[in-house]
Amino acid sequence: QSALTQPASVSGSPGQSITISCTGTSSDVGGYKYVSWYQQHPGKAPKLMIYDVSNRPSGVSNRFSGSKSGSTASLTISGLQADDEADYYCSSYTSSGTQVFGTGTKVTVL
Amino acid sequence: EVQLVQSGTEVKKSGESLKISCKASGYTFTIYWIGWVRQMPGKGLEWMGIIYPGDSDTRYSPSFQGQVTISADKSITTAYLQWSSLKASDNAMYYCARPSAPYSRGDAFDIWGQGTMVTVSS
């Protein structure tokens, strides 16, 4: 299975909102509710930010939100802060019974 | 506290075998799948495979099928990732991770190990 497609980079100024897309197929993103998003700072393990398309784990800021339309999922970060600068990965369950990650997006806070 | 603690950095030569571990604690080991994720230097996350310790049911990404073996030992609540013959291309950080819901291999990984760095020299 191929990695889900994400933009390589997205940037924004503090306080702005940005959206990261994650495009798959009907065999992964489009077919299941199991779409999640992870944040990874350099040298650290990934951290779950969104699960089941739009749900936030306890402790994750409500500035992070997720959605899905067809085979494309999106992560929106509102009120961008310096600490949001990190790599972000989407992930989806697949029809093969496995999961697949996205290609990753580097978020830069200008 | 729920946690996954991985074994330490490994430095090996091409052709050698290796088994790295992921020790689980703070939850019922046998009812949660445990997955493995590769991250090559400067690259993205890659989902390798997942095991259900309750019955050792294992699923692999097609990219990793036949390249690695995932196993688990219920008696010591530990999952493993092993190679029979390492290659230079196996240089990477390897993470174990646990889905947020029991019995489900589709759920997101909410618990992650700290990672094990594997360096393979030719």
Side-chain angles (χ1 to χ4, degrees), chain A residues 34-96:
Chain A
Y34 296 121
V35 177
S36 51
W37 290 89
Y38 300 88
Q39 176 192 65
Q40 187 180 34
H41 285 110
K44 301 293 188 181
K47 175 186 176 184
L48 180 64
M49 305 302 284
I50 296 287
Y51 68 95
D52 293 355
V53 176
S54 60
N55 293 300
R56 276 187 310 277
S58 174
V60 171
S61 171
N62 59 10
R63 297 184 299 105
F64 293 84
S65 61
S67 63
K68 187 180 84 165
S69 176
S71 298
T72 298
S74 298
L75 173 72
T76 297
I77 309 174
S78 58
L80 203 59
Q81 298 179 359
D83 190 53
D84 298 333
E85 188 160 293
D87 294 323
Y88 291 82
Y89 297 90
C90 60
S91 177
S92 174
Y93 186 68
T94 80
S95 58
S96 303

Side-chain angles (χ1 to χ4, degrees), chain B residues 3 7 9 11 13 22 24 35 40-41 45 53 56 58 63 69 72 83 86-87 92-93 110-112:
Chain B
Q3 58 179 352
S7 50
T9 297
V11 179
K13 292 187 179 352
C22 172
M40 300 174 75
L45 305 175
S56 294
T58 308
S63 301
T69 300
W83 296 259
L86 286 162
K87 304 187 270 292
M93 178 72 82
D110 67 336
I111 305 294
W112 291 73

Side-chain angles (χ1 to χ4, degrees), chain A residues 6-57:
Chain A
Q6 298 180 231
S9 62
V10 173
S11 62
S13 299
Q16 284 188 330
S17 292
I18 61 169
T19 296
I20 303 168
S21 61
C22 169
T23 301
T25 69
S26 58
S27 296
D28 38 63
V29 175
Y32 302 94
K33 71 166 188 171
Y34 296 121
V35 177
S36 51
W37 290 89
Y38 300 88
Q39 176 192 65
Q40 187 180 34
H41 285 110
K44 301 293 188 181
K47 175 186 176 184
L48 180 64
M49 305 302 284
I50 296 287
Y51 68 95
D52 293 355
V53 176
S54 60
N55 293 300
R56 276 187 310 277

